[in-house]
Amino acid sequence: MSADNRYTYAQAGVSIDAGNALVKAIGPLVKATRRPGADAEIGGFGGFFDPRAAGYSDPLLVAANDGVGTKLKLAIDTGRHDTVGIDLVAMCANDLIVQGAEPLFFLDYFATGKLDTGVAERVIAGIAQGCTIAGCALIGGETAEMPGMYAPGDYDLAGFCVGAVERGEQLTGERVAPGHVLLGLASSGVHSNGYSLVRRLAADRQWQMDRPAPFDPEQLLIDALIQPTRIYVKGLLPTIRAGKIDALAHITGGGLLENIPRVLPEGAHAVIDADAWEQPALMAFLQAQGNIAPGEMARTFNCGVGMALAVPAELAREVAAELEAAGEAVMHIGEVTEGPRGCTVRGAAGTWGTQEAWSATHEA
């Protein structure tokens, strides 16, 4: 075969040079996430972390992985790549804190058909920002350029986070009992679940993303929809370590109805008063635009509550005050009663829905 007919990886659609340029560009972003236990250097075949250097003597390791879902498609279609990395970290780090675990380190996976280093750098800058907010080190990751696997301009993200909690201090929900108060921490928006429905509404109702939001003329509609998932780690960790919280539920896919029962023991039933907090304008907008039944809202969206806490009644005010001082908006959303393990959401108009024994039996 002549020199003119020799194949190269670049001819097949993969640029090693672009990948190397990206690694060089994100180096300072990664170093900015350094924390005790990790040097946050990249370029090796794996990342090291020293739990003892992080202050742990007998840690249990807790791992979580997740993605951003079809919120990525909204980001890609509108060119808003800067904050989906925060979403990626949030979905994993918030899942760790509900176990009582401090997120220690994070790794990402970025896959695309053709690497656009400018877009990738913006995405990874968001991941680094999320790691800083969560207090974990970005110790590695993978960028995969796979021609033919993705449509032009598309990419996908996955995140992997490991945390630690001292043995015996993990949150399992076993201490929750009838009489516990349920507190809610406000969400920052839709977070990272329900976007297939959001995008369907946007297409069917022909929303103008670059126009002021109908429910808030002070911001563009796209800015309201792309708002990154709130990371609750630093606000919650001191109160968790003080032993004042008995269970936490990260309100993700499945909403209030399906996530709260995951942290309840047998014989405990969560009763949520949907009238106890004002539904955010964005949620009310989505519900009205899709004529969405209350029960469907409670199983699809967070309805303004990104994290639910179960605390002893005598500590509820103290815990609320501590979290408010840490910058969280706290709501008293319900209580734990005797009954089958599950959750019921009620409002002035009646029962929104009930989830018992992991089967959806809600009625609108």
Side-chain angles (χ1 to χ4, degrees):
M1 182 178 292
S2 68
D4 292 339
N5 293 325
R6 289 174 182 167
Y7 285 81
T8 67
Y9 212 8
Q11 288 174 337
V14 178
S15 174
I16 295 175
D17 291 337
N20 291 337
L22 176 63
V23 171
K24 184 177 181 180
I26 66 175
L29 301 174
V30 173
K31 288 182 179 180
T33 70
R34 282 176 172 168
R35 56 152 295 153
D39 59 12
E41 294 283 355
I42 58 172
F45 287 95
F48 287 95
F49 192 92
D50 182 358
R52 289 187 179 181
Y56 289 90
S57 58
D58 186 19
L60 293 175
L61 297 182
V62 186
N65 73 296
D66 212 331
V68 183
T70 59
K71 187 175 187 177
L72 281 182
K73 188 60 176 172
L74 182 65
I76 292 166
D77 290 346
T78 58
R80 300 299 185 101
H81 307 288
D82 301 277
T83 60
V84 288
I86 299 176
D87 288 297
L88 185 67
V89 176
M91 295 302 289
C92 298
N94 286 340
D95 277 355
L96 294 185
I97 197 65
V98 301
Q99 312 293 319
E102 175 191 12
L104 299 178
F105 59 88
F106 190 88
L107 299 97
D108 71 278
Y109 177 77
F110 179 99
T112 186
K114 181 175 177 56
L115 183 61
D116 182 325
T117 55
V119 168
E121 186 175 351
R122 291 167 65 187
V123 172
I124 296 171
I127 294 172
Q129 184 180 354
C131 286
T132 299
I133 296 170
C136 58
L138 179 58
I139 67 169
E142 174 70 13
T143 301
E145 190 174 24
M146 299 184 288
M149 287 288 289
Y150 297 89
D154 280 357
Y155 59 85
D156 199 7
L157 293 175
F160 310 85
C161 197
V162 173
V165 57
E166 290 289 3
R167 190 179 304 273
E169 296 180 6
Q170 64 269 26
L171 294 181
T172 63
E174 63 184 11
R175 299 197 305 262
V176 178
H180 268 62
V181 167
L182 295 172
L183 302 177
L185 303 186
S187 65
S188 54
V190 183
H191 282 187
S192 297
N193 300 98
Y195 275 89
S196 293
L197 178 52
V198 170
R199 291 172 49 248
R200 174 65 181 271
L201 288 173
D204 289 353
R205 300 291 184 264
Q206 299 184 334
W207 293 349
Q208 300 298 310
M209 293 292 187
D210 58 350
R211 301 283 182 86
F215 50 87
D216 183 1
E218 297 300 317
Q219 67 174 335
L220 299 180
L221 179 56
I222 183 57
D223 290 335
L225 294 174
I226 209 73
Q227 191 71 221
T229 305
R230 186 166 181 80
I231 297 175
Y232 299 97
V233 172
K234 290 183 178 178
L236 283 169
L237 200 55
T239 306
I240 291 171
R241 287 176 168 169
K244 299 175 183 178
I245 298 173
D246 286 337
L248 289 160
H250 184 198
I251 310 304
T252 55
L256 294 163
L257 279 172
E258 295 194 6
N259 283 290
I260 294 178
R262 296 170 66 181
V263 299
L264 298 179
E266 293 297 333
H269 192 91
V271 178
I272 305 298
D273 179 7
D275 296 326
W277 73 96
E278 184 177 357
Q279 184 173 201
L282 172 56
M283 296 293 169
F285 170 74
L286 293 174
Q287 185 171 12
Q289 286 283 295
N291 190 27
I292 303 172
E296 186 68 15
M297 288 293 295
R299 293 185 69 227
T300 304
F301 299 112
N302 62 57
C303 297
V305 178
M307 187 74 73
L309 296 65
V311 301
E314 64 273 17
L315 295 178
R317 289 187 179 181
E318 180 180 344
V319 168
E322 288 183 8
L323 294 174
E324 286 171 351
E328 301 293 346
V330 185
M331 303 161 281
H332 183 153
I333 63 173
E335 62 181 354
V336 178
T337 64
E338 291 186 9
R341 180 186 183 194
C343 179
T344 296
V345 179
R346 295 173 178 159
T351 299
W352 283 30
T354 295
Q355 165 79 37
E356 294 180 4
W358 306 106
S359 63
T361 57
H362 75 275
E363 50 187 83

